[in-house]
């Protein structure tokens, strides 16, 4: 079989195995779990192609084929290939990639197997790269890694794969590796959201946390309650249900889940533009009216519509920064609280738990911001995922209580903090002070957050990148493979930033803070 042939071939190849420090000199990002390489060079042939003989996966949806097409586009798109510029011996031509996928399914869901093995051994006739992966999404990661092995050779005017033979065995450290974008504070066009998704795939991030609505605007069409998007900034700054479905489909074909957020009961002033009954009063418009059955009927309707589009296991229900004073200062709500025997804090708990039950009725597991845990953690549904953001030390408290956690502490992983450098993103460890294996498993992973107050379509990419890439390696690569001094990876990160630029991503220079301009003339690789 294919892998038997490869193993036999290894007997005739010189494979160099380097230390973790030596591996830092490889221009791969994020760094794979295991890398072996040599000192030979191969050139992509003119008919470089994809084969899948022996694969259980039939690619009826075309996900793998599309991934291969994107691979060709990114490795050739920055240059004009002149295949006949020099004659290359057949023994140095790489004719294609043979992909074997073990699963027949292309379902994308939390905690699927994203591992892969990538081998390139110049002993075949003809020579192929080989990928084996349990799922098509592991194979997509392998194609991303392969793309970083490819470079334009100016003498040959062709794409070269140097340092062959290669054997790369890889898997992610955490199953949840997220990036939040916020389309309420500033509308992001569909084209830009797709560009963000593409760049996430380059760094092997796998969850787009879509913070769709907030107090400032409600840009999403909800067919059950069509007046909600009256809260959008304008008629053109809106997302139809078809656009939302397109974002989910586009992300899936790149191995990325879309986590939709409905932040309640706070952060919801814009909801009342279309439905004023959701406001406690015209002069006190947030949080949503806890005493009104219509509030929960509407949340149920929104989640009904969500369930038709957003197929990820989780939904985010927010729950942060809830100022409950409007409830006690509005006479009819104050009377309701007294009848129920609830104070403001208890009403906040009542609202969150009721919203959780509605989400569960639609098959969702709920993610809530950490305030819910801080206020009434023992009352939360035991399937709740607590999303840390206020600072360090929260994750260890959450997992000690037996709940799951996602880490996004704002002092390290908030991209809107423009004074935060990439070194801080790189060294932020999700498992700090969590040593028990059973508790470590409760940390699903982490997420960098691109809040939208100061970003729109003009500057979102350079605010995200390259700092998000620093966090991406922390979430992908085994902790024992990462250096304690982040400056040891600075040149490799600079190379990845240049790669992003070459692929049309407006990533800012590495040597600066958030979205700084280059300091002056110079090579991309030293900025």
């Amino acid at each position: 079989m294919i892998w038997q042939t490869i193993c036999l071939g290894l007997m005739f190849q010189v494979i160099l195995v380097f230390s973790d420090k030596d591996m830092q000199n490889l221009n791969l990002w994020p760094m794979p779990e295991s890398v072996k390489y040599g000192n030979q060079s191969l050139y992509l042939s003119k008919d470089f192609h994809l084969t899948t003989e022996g694969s259980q996966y039939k690619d009826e949806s075309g996900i793998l084929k599309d991934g291969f097409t994107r691979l060709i586009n990114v490795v050739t798109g920055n240059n004009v290939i002149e295949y006949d510029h020099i004659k290359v011996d057949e023994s140095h031509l790489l004719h294609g990639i043979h992909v074997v996928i073990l699963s027949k399914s292309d379902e994308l869901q939390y905690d699927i197997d994203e591992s892969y093995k990538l081998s390139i051994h110049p002993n075949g006739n003809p020579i192929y790269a080989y990928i084996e992966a349990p799922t098509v999404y592991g194979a997509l990661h392998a194609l991303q890694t392969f793309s970083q092995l490819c470079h334009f050779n100016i003498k040959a005017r062709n794409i070269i794969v140097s340092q062959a033979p290669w054997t790369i065995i890889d898997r992610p450290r955490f199953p949840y590796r997220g990036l939040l974008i916020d389309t309420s504070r500033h509308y992001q066009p569909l084209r830009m959201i797709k560009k963000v998704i593409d760049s996430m795939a380059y760094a092997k991030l796998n969850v787009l946390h879509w913070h769709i609505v907030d107090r400032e605007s409600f840009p999403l069409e909800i067919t059950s309650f069509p007046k909600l998007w009256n809260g959008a900034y304008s008629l053109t700054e809106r997302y139809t249900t078809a656009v939302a479905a397109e974002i989910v489909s586009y992300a899936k074909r790149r191995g990325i889940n879309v986590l939709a957020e409905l932040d309640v009961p706070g952060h919801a002033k814009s909801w009342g533009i279309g439905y004023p009954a959701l406001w406690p009063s015209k002069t006190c418009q947030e949080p949503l009216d806890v005493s009104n059955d219509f509030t929960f009927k509407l949340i149920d309707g929104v989640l009904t519509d969500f369930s038709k589009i957003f197929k990820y296991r989780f939904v985010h229900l927010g729950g942060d920064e809830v100022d409950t004073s409007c409830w006690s200062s509005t006479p009819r709500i104050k009377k309701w609280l007294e009848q129920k025997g609830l104070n403001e804090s208890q009403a906040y708990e009542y609202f969150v738990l009721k919203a959780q039950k509605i989400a569960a009725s639609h098959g969702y597991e709920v993610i809530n911001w950490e305030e819910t845990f801080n206020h009434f953690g023992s009352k939360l549904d035991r399937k709740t995922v607590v999303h840390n953001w206020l600072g360090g030390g929260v994750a260890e408290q959450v997992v000690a209580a037996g709940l799951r956690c996602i880490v996004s502490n704002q002092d390290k992983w908030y991209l809107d903090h423009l004074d935060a450098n990439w070194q801080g993103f790189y060294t932020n460890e999700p498992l700090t002070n969590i040593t028990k294996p059973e508790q470590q498993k409760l940390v699903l992973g982490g997420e960098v957050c691109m809040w939208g107050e100061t970003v729109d379509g003009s500057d979102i990419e350079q605010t995200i990148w390259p700092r998000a890439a620093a966090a991406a390696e922390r979430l992908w690569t085994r902790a024992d493979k990462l250096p304690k001094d982040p400056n040891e990876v600075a040149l490799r990160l600079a190379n990845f930033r240049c790669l992003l630029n070459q692929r049309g991503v407006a990533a800012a220079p590495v040597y600066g803070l958030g979205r700084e301009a280059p300091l002056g003339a110079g090579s991309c690789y030293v900025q």
Side-chain angles (χ1 to χ4, degrees):
M1 296 299 288
I2 293 170
W3 293 106
Q4 291 174 327
T5 302
I6 291 173
C7 291
L8 290 172
L10 292 179
M11 297 171 61
F12 301 99
Q13 298 293 337
V14 177
I15 302 289
L16 304 180
V17 182
F18 290 89
S19 68
D20 292 343
K21 188 172 182 179
D22 291 323
M23 285 172 63
Q24 295 301 331
N25 297 321
L26 295 175
N27 285 324
L28 294 174
W29 197 282
M31 183 58 66
E33 182 176 278
S34 172
V35 180
K36 299 177 183 179
Y37 59 97
N39 55 12
Q40 300 182 51
S41 295
L42 299 171
Y43 297 85
L44 267 60
S45 70
K46 192 173 185 178
D47 66 342
F48 190 80
H49 60 280
L50 171 71
T51 67
T52 58
E53 181 182 354
S55 180
Q56 295 297 309
Y57 180 69
K58 301 308 178 185
D59 199 29
E60 294 175 355
S61 60
I63 290 176
L64 179 62
K65 181 181 177 181
D66 286 354
F68 180 78
T69 299
R70 291 194 301 273
L71 163 70
I72 298 301
N73 288 339
V74 297
V75 301
T76 63
N78 200 45
N79 286 285
V80 175
I81 311 302
E82 304 174 49
Y83 291 103
D84 299 325
H85 181 69
I86 63 171
K87 184 175 177 60
V88 178
D89 186 89
E90 179 70 21
S91 64
H92 292 90
L93 283 178
L94 187 60
H95 286 268
I97 299 180
H98 189 108
V99 179
V100 175
I101 298 171
L102 306 181
S103 173
K104 297 179 180 180
S105 173
D106 62 8
E107 180 184 3
L108 180 63
Q109 195 46 265
Y110 169 76
D111 207 20
I112 62 163
D113 194 329
E114 299 175 83
S115 65
Y116 66 88
K117 179 178 180 180
L118 168 63
S119 297
I120 308 171
H121 297 286
N123 58 289
N125 186 20
I127 302 170
Y128 280 83
Y130 292 91
I131 291 171
E132 182 175 331
T135 69
V136 65
Y137 303 107
L140 292 182
H141 290 316
L143 292 176
Q144 291 292 352
T145 300
F146 180 84
S147 77
Q148 294 187 32
L149 303 181
C150 297
H151 307 279
F152 182 74
N153 183 277
I154 196 68
K155 292 182 178 179
R157 312 290 171 86
N158 196 355
I159 303 298
I160 187 173
V161 176
S162 56
Q163 297 176 283
W166 288 92
T167 301
I168 297 174
I169 300 173
D170 202 8
R171 71 189 67 245
R173 181 185 178 202
F174 291 103
Y176 186 107
R177 306 178 305 281
L179 166 66
L180 177 148
I181 63 169
D182 170 10
T183 59
S184 174
R185 276 55 179 256
H186 279 98
Y187 175 85
Q188 291 292 344
L190 174 60
R191 188 184 299 270
M192 181 54 70
I193 294 175
K194 286 183 174 181
K195 285 194 71 180
V196 169
I197 291 169
D198 285 337
S199 59
M200 289 176 65
Y202 300 150
K204 297 185 174 69
L205 295 175
N206 71 342
V207 179
L208 177 69
H209 176 177
W210 189 6
H211 188 86
I212 309 172
V213 304
D214 210 290
R215 61 171 59 101
E216 289 82 1
S217 74
F218 197 114
L220 182 66
E221 179 182 24
I222 301 295
T223 55
S224 299
F225 291 90
K227 293 181 182 180
L228 276 172
W229 71 350
N230 289 1
Y233 287 125
S234 69
L235 290 175
T236 59
E237 293 171 296
R238 294 179 172 185
Y239 305 102
T240 65
T241 55
V243 167
E246 171 65 14
I247 290 169
V248 171
S249 175
Y250 190 89
K252 177 184 177 180
R253 299 183 76 80
R254 287 147 182 81
I256 295 171
N257 283 294
V258 177
L259 169 68
E261 180 175 357
L262 194 69
D263 197 349
V264 293
H267 291 275
K269 178 180 177 181
S270 63
W271 300 37
I273 303 297
Y275 295 96
L278 295 169
W279 289 335
S281 69
K282 289 184 178 180
T283 57
C284 209
Q285 300 171 335
E286 205 176 62
L288 297 174
D289 187 348
V290 66
S291 69
N292 192 343
D293 288 340
F294 175 68
T295 299
F296 297 99
K297 179 181 178 181
L298 185 140
I299 290 173
D300 184 55
V302 173
L303 291 174
T304 297
D305 286 3
F306 269 26
S307 67
K308 298 172 184 176
I309 300 170
F310 302 106
K311 302 298 183 180
Y312 194 36
R313 178 186 300 179
F314 304 105
V315 69
H316 205 303
L317 293 184
D320 62 312
E321 298 181 321
V322 181
D323 179 357
T324 57
S325 58
C326 274
W327 290 344
S328 58
S329 64
T330 303
R332 61 181 177 78
I333 300 179
K334 182 179 180 181
K335 182 178 180 180
W336 181 88
L337 292 173
E338 292 171 349
Q339 290 174 343
K340 292 285 187 179
L342 301 175
N343 59 32
E344 290 180 25
S345 178
Q346 292 168 329
Y348 168 42
E349 175 187 323
Y350 168 87
F351 195 114
V352 169
L353 297 183
K354 189 165 184 176
Q356 283 195 336
K357 290 179 180 178
I358 294 171
S361 73
H362 293 286
Y364 284 120
E365 295 177 32
V366 173
I367 302 174
N368 279 116
W369 293 110
E370 71 173 76
E371 286 95 325
T372 59
F373 174 79
N374 297 337
H375 284 80
F376 46 88
S378 63
K379 303 290 183 63
L380 291 170
D381 186 297
R382 299 307 295 171
K383 290 185 177 181
T384 301
V385 179
V386 177
H387 197 163
N388 152 240
W389 74 278
L390 287 173
V394 175
E396 58 187 290
Q397 299 174 37
V398 172
V399 299
L403 295 174
R404 294 171 294 176
C405 187
I406 295 168
V407 174
S408 291
N409 48 308
Q410 63 174 336
D411 56 323
K412 295 295 184 181
W413 277 357
Y414 265 33
L415 291 157
D416 58 308
H417 291 192
L418 299 182
D419 59 346
N421 62 27
W422 71 265
Q423 290 92 339
F425 278 75
Y426 193 85
T427 55
N428 191 38
E429 172 52 51
L431 297 185
T432 297
N433 296 328
I434 302 174
T435 58
K436 295 180 180 179
E438 64 272 20
Q439 292 184 356
Q440 290 179 341
K441 292 178 181 179
L442 294 175
V443 179
L444 306 189
E447 175 180 293
V448 290
C449 298
M450 185 63 271
W451 295 105
E453 286 87 348
T454 64
V455 294
D456 58 14
S458 71
D459 60 1
I460 186 171
E461 289 183 296
Q462 58 263 50
T463 315
I464 293 174
W465 306 107
R467 293 180 300 163
E473 181 159 280
R474 172 65 54 175
L475 292 168
W476 178 274
T477 305
R478 270 175 30 192
D480 61 347
K481 297 285 185 179
L482 301 175
K484 294 183 180 179
D485 181 359
N487 292 311
E488 291 183 24
V489 306
L491 291 177
R492 187 161 55 84
L493 179 58
N495 183 84
F496 184 70
R497 178 257 173 170
C498 290
L499 183 70
L500 292 175
N501 283 176
Q502 291 162 9
R503 295 180 180 185
V505 180
V510 168
Y511 299 102
L513 299 177
R515 73 174 182 228
E516 287 189 3
L519 296 177
S523 166
C524 173
Y525 298 101
V526 295
Q527 293 181 337

